Amino acid sequence: METLLASTTRKQPRTGKRRVCFPITSRAYYGRCQLLLKKLHEHPGIELELMLGGSILLDKYSRHIADDIEAGGFTISTSLFNVIEGGNHVAMAKTACLTALEFTNGFHAADPDLVVICGDRFEQLAIAMAAAYLNKTIAHIEGGDVSGSIDESVRHAITKLAHIHFVTNEDARRRVLAMGEDPTYVFNTGSLDVEVASQAGPAMTSAVVNSYGVGHEVDVTRPFLLVIQHPVTTEATNRPHLEETLRAVSALDMPAIWIWPNPDAGTGEMADSLRHFREQAGHAASKMRFITDVPVNEFIALLRVAACLVGNSSAGIKECSFLGTPVVNIGVRQQGRLHAENVVHVGYDEGEIVAAVRRQIAHGRFAPSHIYYREGASQAMVDVLAGIELYTQKRFYDRPEAPASA
């Protein structure tokens, strides 16, 4: 196997700079990390390697993304096709296995000093495993958060593989330390997502949003709903749960922009329900627009003007906390996550969803919250990545026990 690997991958020569490899597996990750990537690219002591894989290479989720990345001034070092489609648990598990294989070859060729992993996606766990076995120092962004579904287990597993930790809030920092991580290597930098949301960007126009997707044309100068409901991988009832939301949004009788679910296990049946609804629902679907792919700056612009975000996206918890956008969070996907006053949690029930959305719209926008925001989050990460002492052998850090009470 070593002979075959050596003959098919060639290690890149050293430049004297610290080589930082950044795997990007979805358009959302690329969007939220743009500021960090730009600063890493411009740093005189860092050589940035971008590796693409996952859904970012699938046209239905990230059309023309390579062109967008190169237009941003970045060079893509390699693209690794690692997705087994099917939208079910078997496809998800096999994709993780293929991801480990493909990125092992990629890391062997790039020979990075550091691998930067973001979030809690299943393919990121496979990437972290590959990097760890190759004795690469791993930096993890967004460790210590809690949420529903398998994502929470994945996030904590990456934490135990990672050597450097960038958390988004003090609760998350406390949890990472509780997992036996060295406090010297744990940094509360705030959220990259919220830093991007805090930047003044282009205003959303109806012409722009209606250039994406299919369905009813939405006037974004008037109240509309933004709906994002992803699969919950630990539940077998994603279809009926989505259908409750469809009925609720139909009952509200408002224009709605519906963002397609991500490719986690369960997406197949959810996508099938959305297509059937779009084609068969008649008047109920006549005010909805369905979109699979929106660049990050335009997504933030949509969040800024939406009357209410409905569903289970982390954007409702993080970006919308800063933007003050009302949110109705459905189900368990974000269960337990730190959130601001703009979020109302409901179950999978049409009537409960309708009532909550009406209350949120009646309230209007909320004051901006800084629970996930720290100025200069990306620069703080770059400063650490460029200068911190790297290591590979991890040890469990035992914190001194508090003295027993009398």
Side-chain angles (χ1 to χ4, degrees):
M1 182 64 181
E2 286 186 6
T3 303
L4 176 61
L5 189 61
S7 67
T8 56
T9 59
R10 187 185 300 276
K11 286 194 175 184
Q12 298 181 14
R14 284 286 169 189
T15 63
K17 298 180 178 181
R18 180 168 283 187
R19 186 172 291 167
V20 176
C21 183
F22 209 116
I24 304 175
T25 56
S26 72
R27 180 186 279 279
Y29 278 172
Y30 171 64
R32 72 180 55 164
C33 294
Q34 277 188 59
L35 296 174
L36 174 59
L37 291 171
K38 184 174 186 295
K39 290 180 171 68
L40 287 171
H41 181 64
E42 294 172 348
H43 194 285
I46 289 176
E47 179 184 350
L48 180 63
E49 295 275 343
L50 294 187
M51 288 186 178
L52 303 193
S55 65
I56 200 169
L57 296 177
L58 304 181
D59 282 348
K60 67 180 180 181
Y61 291 105
S62 305
R63 195 174 312 155
H64 308 308
I65 188 63
D67 295 338
D68 292 347
I69 291 173
E70 289 172 350
F74 303 112
T75 300
I76 300 168
S77 65
T78 188
S79 295
L80 302 168
F81 291 87
N82 61 302
V83 176
I84 294 175
E85 293 198 70
N88 56 46
H89 290 84
V90 172
M92 188 173 171
K94 286 188 173 183
T95 292
C97 296
L98 184 56
T99 299
L101 179 64
E102 292 290 337
F103 275 86
T104 296
N105 289 347
F107 293 149
H108 178 78
D111 193 22
D113 301 297
L114 263 165
V115 176
V116 182
I117 305 291
C118 185
D120 60 3
R121 298 281 305 159
F122 65 95
E123 67 270 18
Q124 297 286 338
L125 175 58
I127 292 168
M129 183 192 75
Y133 275 116
L134 291 175
N135 286 324
K136 304 302 178 185
T137 301
I138 300 167
H140 183 211
I141 300 171
E142 293 190 354
D145 281 357
V146 294
S147 58
S149 82
I150 193 67
D151 295 349
E152 176 164 343
S153 298
V154 167
R155 188 188 302 272
H156 301 331
I158 295 173
T159 290
K160 292 310 300 175
L161 291 170
H163 307 83
I164 302 166
H165 309 275
F166 299 115
V167 302
T168 64
N169 59 84
E170 276 302 311
D171 284 351
R173 181 176 183 275
R174 174 180 53 77
R175 293 188 193 100
V176 169
L177 294 177
M179 285 188 274
E181 298 303 301
D182 185 344
T184 306
Y185 288 87
V186 183
F187 304 90
N188 182 358
T189 57
S191 168
L192 289 174
D193 312 47
V194 177
E195 184 184 27
V196 170
S198 73
Q199 306 291 307
M204 178 50 66
T205 66
S206 299
V208 167
V209 74
N210 292 316
S211 68
Y212 297 110
V214 297
H216 174 69
E217 291 199 353
V218 175
D219 180 358
V220 298
T221 67
R222 301 176 64 82
F224 70 93
L225 302 176
L226 183 60
V227 188
I228 312 172
Q229 189 158 332
H230 297 304
V232 178
T233 54
T234 49
E235 294 180 344
T237 47
N238 285 293
R239 187 193 295 268
H241 289 168
L242 179 73
E243 289 173 351
E244 287 288 328
T245 306
L246 278 166
R247 287 191 288 271
V249 174
S250 299
L252 288 161
D253 199 31
M254 289 179 64
I257 296 171
W258 201 298
I259 306 294
W260 215 249
N262 71 20
D264 284 352
T267 193
E269 57 185 333
M270 293 179 76
D272 182 63
S273 288
L274 286 174
R275 290 190 193 97
H276 185 269
F277 178 85
R278 189 180 68 204
E279 294 164 6
Q280 305 293 330
H283 174 73
S286 66
K287 292 188 175 183
M288 298 185 193
R289 187 161 197 88
F290 298 87
I291 299 175
T292 58
D293 178 30
V294 183
V296 65
N297 290 338
E298 290 164 12
F299 178 66
I300 296 298
L302 270 177
L303 292 177
R304 283 197 182 103
V305 296
C308 186
L309 175 65
V310 182
N312 60 12
S313 170
S314 64
I317 305 295
K318 291 185 287 184
E319 289 97 316
C320 288
S321 71
F322 184 86
L323 299 173
T325 304
V327 173
V328 172
N329 184 73
I330 301 172
V332 301
R333 190 169 184 265
Q334 304 300 334
Q335 189 174 52
R337 247 188 177 160
L338 178 70
H339 64 87
E341 293 182 357
N342 66 308
V343 178
V344 170
H345 295 279
V346 297
Y348 302 107
D349 177 79
E350 173 190 346
E352 193 178 353
I353 296 167
V354 169
V357 171
R358 285 177 174 156
R359 288 196 305 271
Q360 289 290 71
I361 292 176
H363 181 282
R365 306 199 76 77
F366 289 76
S369 167
H370 285 196
I371 57 173
Y372 286 102
Y373 176 71
R374 287 202 172 195
E375 187 175 356
S378 56
Q379 187 59 55
M381 293 182 190
V382 172
D383 292 343
V384 171
L385 293 172
I388 198 168
E389 183 179 353
L390 304 184
Y391 72 105
T392 54
Q393 179 60 64
K394 292 193 65 175
R395 300 275 187 249
F396 192 94
Y397 186 90
D398 279 311
R399 303 180 71 185
E401 290 186 11
S405 58

